[in-house]
Amino acid sequence: MANIYILIELSDREIPSRLLLACKLASAGHKVIFGQQWAILRTLNKLPPGILFFKSVNNIYHNAFAIARNLGFLCATQEEELFGNARPSEYLKSVDSPELKKLDLIFTNNA
């Protein structure tokens, strides 16, 4: 089973859904750690590799994608706002495609 790290930006808004996800993953036998995103990202080199679950593909994470991949982590994101305010073709133009290639999974809402 995998080590899964769930990154949280705003605890009061994200804790309920992330806690539910963590419980589901733990009940499936995975080791789950969730916590403040920058605290986890600062200590990646001290953590056993696993799956990093990012909040989005925002450019503030692009360097972290590369570092994580170099340390043997897989990268996933739950892009909650991917298609919310723009048509998919318009949004994808604003995302740097080399950065998308650093992600192993992208979960998003239904457009």
Side-chain angles (χ1 to χ4, degrees), residues 2 4 13 31 37 45 51 74 81 87 94:
I4 301 175
R13 181 176 72 189
K31 294 179 182 177
Q37 61 188 357
N45 63 334
I51 300 169
L74 297 175
E81 299 168 357
R87 294 181 15 223
S94 70

Side-chain angles (χ1 to χ4, degrees), residues 8 10 12 40-41 43 46 52 67 75 77 91 95 100 108-109:
I8 297 172
L10 300 170
D12 56 334
I40 291 174
L41 292 174
T43 60
K46 298 175 182 162
L52 275 174
I67 292 169
C75 297
T77 183
Y91 182 85
V95 178
L100 287 178
T108 188
N109 59 321

Side-chain angles (χ1 to χ4, degrees), residues 41-93:
L41 292 174
R42 276 194 306 271
T43 60
L44 278 185
N45 63 334
K46 298 175 182 162
L47 298 171
I51 300 169
L52 275 174
F53 192 72
F54 288 87
K55 177 186 171 76
S56 74
V57 296
N58 189 296
N59 62 8
I60 63 171
Y61 301 118
H62 291 183
N63 190 44
F65 297 159
I67 292 169
R69 296 294 299 246
N70 288 335
L71 291 171
F73 287 83
L74 297 175
C75 297
T77 183
Q78 179 177 341
E79 181 56 74
E80 297 168 333
E81 299 168 357
L82 184 60
F83 301 128
N85 297 318
R87 294 181 15 223
S89 60
E90 293 302 312
Y91 182 85
L92 293 175
K93 287 179 190 176

